[in-house]
Amino acid sequence: MSYASLSVKDLTSLVSRSGTGSSSSLKPPGQTRPVKVIPLQHPDTSNEARPPSIPLDDILSGWTAKIKRMGLVDWLDTLFPCSRWIRTYKWKEYLKLDLMAGITVGIMLVPQAMSYAKLAGLPPIYGLYSSFVPIFVYAIFGSSRQLAIGPVALVSLLVSNALGGIADTNEELHIELAILLAFLVGILECIMGFLRLGWLIRFISHSVISGFTSASAIVIGLSQVKYFLGYSIARSSKIVPLVESIIAGADKFQWPPFLMGSLILVILQVMKHVGKAKKELQFLRAAAPLTGIVLGTTIAKVFHPPSISLVGEIPQGLPTFSFPRSFDHAKTLLPTSALITGVAILESVGIAKALAAKNRYELDSNSELFGLGVANILGSLFSAYPATGSFSRSAVNNESEAKTGLSGIITGIIIGCSLLFLTPMFKYIPQCALAAIVISAVSGLVDYDEAIFLWRVDKRDFTLWTITSTTTLFFGIEIGVLVGVGFSLAFVIQESANPHIAVLGRLPGTTVYRNIKQYPEAYTYNGIVIVRIDAPIYFANISYIKDRLREYEVAVDKYTNRGLEVERINFVILEMSPVTYIDSSAVEALKELYQEYKTRDIQLAISNPNKDVHLTIARSGMVELVGKEWFFVRVHDAVQVCLQYVQSSNLEDKKSSFSRRYGSDNNSSSSKALLREPLLSVEK
């Protein structure tokens, strides 16, 4: 099938330029089947046709108009996302499900919150404080209906590691800094949400996150072993000091806490596994932490083993309002605040978006981040340390079929009741029971399945996973994150600066051109190189692209060549349909490359640039430099025109100059006339 346009005449004759601009018709032999070329519409680059620049006043006026169009309901949905599900709440259908889900997560959260507070180096009561006010605030300002927020193991470890070098865990300053850290994290989350900067985290690959969390889980588990062994070990986020400390104190080992902790850990793991495997028994997964606490408390209350340390007295009552006393250490805590904010975006927002897609409602990542920020800011005013979304509790909440944020409010009420009425009972909880809960929770974070998958699928991502996990284990959390992110960005830059470039060939019997390495049956034409650039072209990769184009000029992968025998490359065709963007540096480099080609009697042709790329090229003057007739809609059109020139050049004198064959002036009538020559037919 051929395509024609009324603006393009049948290409049935070879026209040459005369001195007066008139043309005469010549008909070279062997050209009996004309081929039509789809005309490429060039953009108008005149000043009148250029889109006007958008001044700041226009942007502000657009925002003002949008604000004026917003009604009361729109304002409520923006400021208080909970109004969306409140308006459509189905009481008969949703209330029972939300009630059961909230109770289930609340039963799971009470022992977990105290365990994670101990991991953070704080008294257990602060884990409950961090699970109280932030939950209610998030239910109002958060947009996810299934996300369960509160203390989590990874953030608790980050808090402990950040504060360990500033204040001892027994000092009041340690608690004040943890609360200040929640305030700073909330500020950063609100700023990133308001400025819509959540996209920055996209540059951190999943393999970095997996490697970091896997190594952190191992460090967290080892840091809790001291409650099993019955003696103190070094506080560190590195595996070597932890292992050395465990080995050095082996002579102080005590059996009672080890047996109790191991028994509770086995029970937790069995209940969690059964709850995951059988849907009808999924309540066992949520009840596992409470079961471990009840069992440990009962044993400690009945037998009073002296070698098993207990939690001790826990203050009774709700947290009181207090503003952070001092910001003297704020500058020191900023790096950790940024790291915790990154974890919140990666984990909480990722979980929230996945749950929203599963439950079929829309969720804005930046609005979600803003909701987390408000929850942390207000939580810090009521003695909370940083809280974020929990993967395990959110999964339980979703599996319990929570429909709205009301389930979170129910969970908060349970935490409040625990603070008011149950804290006297918590003083008999064994420390090893809380440690068993932490170890059971983080055991699922060691993602060795992901490492095996990456090894099988992508060796580069496996290398990134290995580097991140190894540096986190041996050099600490901060170094591990920096190295992982650094390598992740390096891979992005390397991929961007060295884009994939393919030499194309025509599939037999079609006008489709594909990578000759992927389709060995595709054939190329002597004297013509067709190159496809599979990336945006800009200052960082244009040098690499130019070097590759020069290489193709000298040596091209040989498959099945067609056409007339020629001694060298006469044409280079750039297929630019995958190119989404081109900058001024790249355009200037292409113009320089064209001039190089011209000195070596090589013609450059460009095929199918998109609208924006075409406009940039046109405004740079490259269209006039190369010639409008050398821009094509399809690769096949470009190939046919180039084949026409190859054939006509063989009919002329072999020693004629390039300017005589193609015309020294690309805008001349002779070069335009050559485009109207009869083209070689598609090979059958």
Side-chain angles (χ1 to χ4, degrees):
M1 181 180 294
S2 63
Y3 298 86
S5 170
L6 295 177
S7 61
V8 179
K9 298 180 180 180
D10 291 346
L11 308 181
T12 56
S13 62
L14 177 65
V15 182
S16 59
R17 183 178 60 179
S18 65
T20 60
S22 62
S23 61
S24 61
S25 178
L26 298 175
K27 187 175 181 180
Q31 299 178 13
T32 59
R33 185 178 177 183
V35 176
K36 308 293 179 64
V37 176
I38 303 174
L40 179 66
Q41 299 296 327
H42 290 276
D44 186 357
T45 58
S46 61
N47 291 329
E48 293 77 7
R50 295 188 183 186
S53 59
I54 303 177
L56 181 60
D57 292 342
D58 291 346
I59 297 176
L60 294 177
S61 62
W63 287 351
T64 304
K66 183 178 179 180
I67 291 174
K68 289 181 179 179
R69 289 196 302 267
M70 293 176 64
L72 178 61
V73 174
D74 297 323
W75 278 109
L76 286 175
D77 289 347
T78 301
L79 299 176
F80 306 102
C82 63
S83 64
R84 299 173 185 172
W85 58 263
I86 290 176
R87 291 199 314 271
T88 59
Y89 197 84
K90 301 176 182 178
W91 291 94
K92 292 183 179 180
E93 182 180 348
Y94 292 170
L95 182 59
K96 182 180 178 181
L97 296 174
D98 284 339
L99 187 63
M100 293 304 299
I103 293 173
T104 302
V105 175
I107 292 173
M108 185 179 184
L109 177 57
V110 171
Q112 276 194 349
M114 292 189 290
S115 303
Y116 293 149
K118 292 292 292 180
L119 175 61
L122 301 170
I125 189 64
Y126 286 93
L128 296 176
Y129 289 164
S130 302
S131 306
F132 182 57
V133 171
I135 286 182
F136 287 105
V137 175
Y138 180 80
I140 298 173
F141 293 96
S143 52
S144 175
R145 304 174 189 179
Q146 286 80 31
L147 186 69
I149 74 164
V152 297
L154 183 55
V155 171
S156 299
L157 178 63
L158 292 173
V159 171
S160 174
N161 189 59
L163 304 184
I166 303 176
D168 189 74
T169 54
N170 298 323
E171 298 179 12
E172 187 69 22
L173 179 60
H174 189 92
I175 298 174
E176 293 178 6
L177 292 179
I179 296 171
L180 175 61
L181 193 58
F183 185 82
L184 296 176
V185 168
I187 294 293
L188 288 179
E189 288 175 338
C190 286
I191 291 174
M192 293 192 70
F194 182 75
L195 298 179
R196 310 187 72 82
L197 298 177
W199 58 270
L200 291 172
I201 307 299
R202 299 175 192 169
F203 289 98
I204 304 177
S205 71
H206 178 72
S207 53
V208 169
I209 301 168
S210 176
F212 169 68
T213 54
S214 298
S216 298
I218 295 174
V219 173
I220 291 170
L222 288 175
S223 69
Q224 297 299 293
V225 169
K226 62 183 179 182
Y227 298 113
F228 279 51
L229 301 178
Y231 59 87
S232 297
I233 62 175
R235 292 181 68 248
S236 177
S237 62
K238 305 173 187 177
I239 191 172
V240 174
L242 287 172
V243 174
E244 289 178 346
S245 181
I246 292 172
I247 296 174
D251 57 328
K252 303 175 185 177
F253 175 76
Q254 299 183 39
W255 281 103
F258 179 78
L259 292 176
M260 178 184 285
S262 300
L263 175 63
I264 294 174
L265 180 59
V266 170
I267 292 174
L268 293 175
Q269 291 294 89
V270 170
M271 293 181 70
K272 185 167 70 171
H273 176 74
V274 174
K276 284 184 177 180
K278 297 184 179 181
K279 188 176 181 179
E280 62 274 11
L281 298 176
Q282 66 181 10
F283 67 92
L284 292 177
R285 180 183 178 186
L290 182 62
T291 303
I293 290 293
V294 171
L295 179 61
T297 304
T298 303
I299 295 175
K301 186 83 170 174
V302 173
F303 297 101
H304 302 286
S307 58
I308 295 179
S309 60
L310 305 180
V311 170
E313 293 290 339
I314 294 180
Q316 188 174 5
L318 300 178
T320 57
F321 177 86
S322 62
F323 199 77
R325 297 179 184 178
S326 173
F327 290 87
D328 294 340
H329 294 87
K331 187 176 181 180
T332 306
L333 296 177
L334 275 178
T336 303
S337 304
L339 183 57
I340 294 175
T341 302
V343 171
I345 298 174
L346 295 172
E347 289 192 356
S348 301
V349 178
I351 297 167
K353 292 188 71 174
L355 293 175
K358 191 173 183 179
N359 290 276
R360 299 180 180 179
Y361 63 89
E362 295 295 329
L363 184 140
D364 180 36
S365 300
N366 296 291
S367 175
E368 181 70 10
L369 194 57
F370 184 79
L372 285 171
V374 175
N376 272 307
I377 291 174
L378 296 182
S380 68
L381 302 180
F382 291 89
S383 303
Y385 78 94
T388 188
S390 166
F391 180 81
S392 59
R393 294 195 298 272
S394 298
V396 169
N397 199 33
N398 185 64
E399 290 167 4
S400 301
E401 300 185 44
K403 295 299 181 182
T404 66
L406 182 61
S407 62
I409 295 176
I410 301 298
T411 299
I413 292 174
I414 292 177
I415 300 297
C417 292
S418 300
L419 287 168
L420 288 172
F421 308 112
L422 300 180
T423 50
M425 301 173 57
F426 294 159
K427 67 179 179 179
Y428 297 105
I429 298 175
Q431 301 269 24
C432 59
L434 295 179
I437 292 173
V438 173
I439 294 174
S440 175
V442 301
S443 61
L445 297 179
V446 183
D447 202 357
Y448 54 85
D449 289 333
E450 178 72 11
I452 296 172
F453 173 79
L454 293 176
W455 171 261
R456 188 171 62 250
V457 174
D458 191 335
K459 296 295 189 296
R460 188 177 68 172
D461 278 346
F462 175 79
T463 302
L464 197 55
W465 188 95
T466 304
I467 291 173
T468 305
S469 58
T470 303
T471 52
T472 302
L473 279 175
F474 289 96
F475 298 99
I477 292 176
E478 288 82 359
I479 300 298
V481 170
L482 290 176
V483 170
V485 172
F487 272 90
S488 183
L489 292 176
F491 284 156
V492 171
I493 294 171
Q494 190 272 340
E495 185 70 24
S496 177
N498 300 277
H500 179 263
I501 302 176
V503 175
L504 307 184
R506 184 159 70 88
L507 298 181
T510 72
T511 59
V512 177
Y513 291 78
R514 291 292 182 267
N515 188 347
I516 57 178
K517 290 184 177 179
Q518 185 178 1
Y519 295 91
E521 68 273 16
Y523 50 81
T524 60
Y525 293 96
N526 292 317
I528 301 173
V529 180
I530 311 166
V531 181
R532 187 186 67 213
I533 303 171
D534 296 329
I537 307 177
Y538 65 113
F539 64 92
N541 62 16
I542 186 60
S543 296
Y544 173 82
I545 293 172
K546 287 175 64 176
D547 292 341
R548 293 295 304 275
L549 291 175
R550 293 188 183 103
E551 293 174 6
Y552 293 140
E553 179 188 342
V554 178
V556 182
D557 295 323
K558 299 294 182 181
Y559 283 83
T560 305
N561 289 312
R562 300 295 179 92
L564 299 173
E565 291 292 337
V566 294
E567 298 178 355
R568 61 178 183 83
I569 297 297
N570 292 316
F571 297 93
V572 175
I573 302 173
L574 295 184
E575 158 66 313
M576 299 187 71
S577 56
V579 179
T580 57
Y581 169 76
I582 187 170
D583 71 353
S584 58
S585 300
V587 172
E588 290 301 316
L590 288 180
K591 292 167 72 173
E592 293 174 4
L593 182 65
Y594 169 77
Q595 297 292 352
E596 292 180 24
Y597 281 161
K598 189 174 181 181
T599 61
R600 296 193 293 272
D601 286 358
I602 298 174
Q603 177 63 47
L604 179 68
I606 295 176
S607 168
N608 197 23
N610 71 30
K611 179 182 177 182
D612 294 333
V613 172
H614 196 179
L615 186 60
T616 303
I617 291 175
R619 286 176 175 172
S620 70
M622 187 173 178
V623 172
E624 288 74 16
L625 178 67
V626 177
K628 290 186 177 181
E629 66 274 17
W630 293 108
F631 286 77
F632 301 91
V633 172
R634 299 183 302 170
V635 173
H636 186 64
D637 293 346
V639 171
Q640 294 291 69
V641 170
C642 292
L643 287 174
Q644 172 72 54
Y645 280 106
V646 171
Q647 184 184 42
S648 63
S649 66
N650 276 269
L651 296 176
E652 296 177 3
D653 184 7
K654 298 292 183 180
K655 296 182 179 179
S656 62
S657 65
F658 181 78
S659 60
R660 180 180 172 186
R661 274 183 279 167
Y662 306 122
S664 58
D665 183 3
N666 281 314
N667 292 319
S668 66
S669 60
S670 64
S671 60
K672 295 178 182 178
L674 287 174
L675 182 59
R676 303 191 181 97
E677 293 178 349
L679 306 180
L680 298 182
S681 61
V682 177
E683 296 195 28
K684 299 180 180 178

